[in-house]
Amino acid sequence: MAGTASYEREMEILRLLDVESRVSVTELSSRFSISPVTIRKDLEMLERRRLLRRVRGGAVRTEHSDEGAFELRLLHRAEVKRAIAREAARLVRDGDAIALDCSTTCYYLAEQLRDRQGLVVVTNGLRAAELLGSSATVVLTGGTLRPSSWSLVGDDTDFPVRGGPLGLGFFGVRSVSPAHGLLELSNEEGAAKRRLGAACRKVYALFDSSKVSRFAMYPFVPVDRISGLITDAGFPDEAVPAWRAADVTVHRVTAVPQD
């Protein structure tokens, strides 16, 4: 539980920095009702990961953060990602065997699945595994740890191939293409997702609409193996026919803030 509390504090610190650009040890200590010593340790850990820069009495936002840092991506368009996750969760039933990748949208999907019974979840995402560890049977794929995304990557992520077919697979993307399918920017990330996707009977891409026009190099699921795209209302109308022609369903959801 202590590790979870620390992670939640870190997320809140990053959220405050995103809004205010600067945080103080005194204010954070009061907000979390913990000692300044503990707050300084939190800030030190975040600085080591280049997510902020410590200054006298607190910390400031850094413009040199790792673009792929999981914590920062988790904050980006969070309500949209949660809406996509809620839609994806409708597909999952008690007792299903599914795959989740290491994306932030799949992290939000894992949040939605904590009340499911009897799930088997194969994932290369350490944060999703942590969320589901007490409510599902969680299997990690293996591979090399990539700290910026808290993921296991590389060609040795082979458990799904040995373990038999999974029902549903859910994947975040760097980009999508009706010609090339689901794509990643990193070769090692793509390799991990390719092996995970190959073990799934149905594959769904979960992404916010800003990914539609982004550059990516490495396909990991071809178009003929994609069952559906779950995205937001910003997904362009003109892009839908090409996906429908490939027999891929496009689900567009509207983000509504949750109380």
Side-chain angles (χ1 to χ4, degrees):
M1 293 298 292
T4 301
S6 175
Y7 177 64
E8 290 173 351
R9 284 199 309 273
E10 290 176 358
M11 290 300 302
E12 179 64 9
I13 289 168
L14 291 172
R15 187 192 69 79
L16 291 169
L17 277 174
D18 192 50
V19 174
E20 302 172 8
S21 300
R22 183 185 180 105
V23 293
S24 77
V25 171
T26 301
E27 292 169 351
L28 292 174
S29 177
S30 176
R31 174 183 287 266
F32 297 120
S33 300
I34 57 176
S35 71
V37 172
T38 302
I39 289 296
R40 291 189 185 97
K41 288 180 180 179
D42 288 343
L43 297 180
E44 180 181 355
M45 290 299 296
L46 289 168
E47 185 178 49
R48 286 178 183 175
R49 282 145 57 195
R50 294 183 294 176
L51 298 175
L52 54 74
R53 180 168 60 85
R54 295 171 69 198
V55 296
R56 185 177 179 83
V60 296
R61 185 169 57 194
T62 175
E63 300 303 325
H64 302 289
S65 299
D66 181 351
E67 184 182 3
F70 184 88
E71 291 86 350
L72 294 180
R73 291 188 291 112
L74 197 61
L75 296 172
H76 177 66
R77 304 199 73 190
E79 286 303 329
V80 169
K81 292 176 181 178
R82 287 191 176 100
I84 292 168
R86 288 191 292 271
E87 181 67 21
R90 298 174 187 271
L91 300 171
V92 182
R93 300 290 179 261
D94 290 351
D96 280 352
I98 67 172
L100 299 180
D101 77 353
C102 60
S103 65
T104 54
T105 309
C106 279
Y107 174 90
Y108 287 123
L109 175 55
E111 283 190 332
Q112 295 290 317
L113 298 178
R114 285 183 289 183
D115 64 346
R116 298 294 195 278
Q117 302 297 312
L119 284 186
V120 176
V121 180
V122 180
T123 182
N124 72 325
L126 300 185
R127 290 304 190 194
E130 182 181 37
L131 268 183
L132 292 170
S134 61
S135 61
T137 299
V138 176
V139 180
L140 290 170
T141 59
T144 302
L145 175 63
R146 189 182 191 194
S148 64
S149 59
W150 288 103
S151 61
L152 299 169
V153 299
D155 287 324
D156 51 346
T157 54
D158 63 348
F159 177 85
V161 175
R162 294 185 285 109
L166 303 169
L168 305 174
F170 299 95
F171 295 86
V173 300
R174 171 72 181 191
S175 188
V176 294
S177 162
H180 303 292
L182 311 184
L183 300 102
E184 269 297 339
L185 185 61
S186 159
N187 185 30
E188 60 179 6
E189 195 86 48
K193 294 186 179 187
R194 190 176 305 115
R195 297 185 74 86
L196 196 53
C200 301
R201 292 191 180 95
K202 294 184 177 181
V203 170
Y204 292 87
L206 313 182
F207 61 96
D208 72 82
S209 56
S210 68
K211 303 292 182 69
V212 174
S213 59
R214 296 181 89 180
F215 173 77
M217 296 177 62
Y218 299 101
F220 64 89
V221 175
V223 176
D224 62 2
R225 296 211 62 250
I226 303 171
S227 296
L229 310 181
I230 305 179
T231 184
D232 61 76
F235 189 88
D237 291 340
E238 60 271 20
V240 173
W243 287 102
R244 287 180 176 166
D247 201 28
V248 176
T249 303
V250 179
H251 305 266
R252 290 186 285 189
V253 302
T254 300
V256 178
Q258 300 294 296
D259 295 332

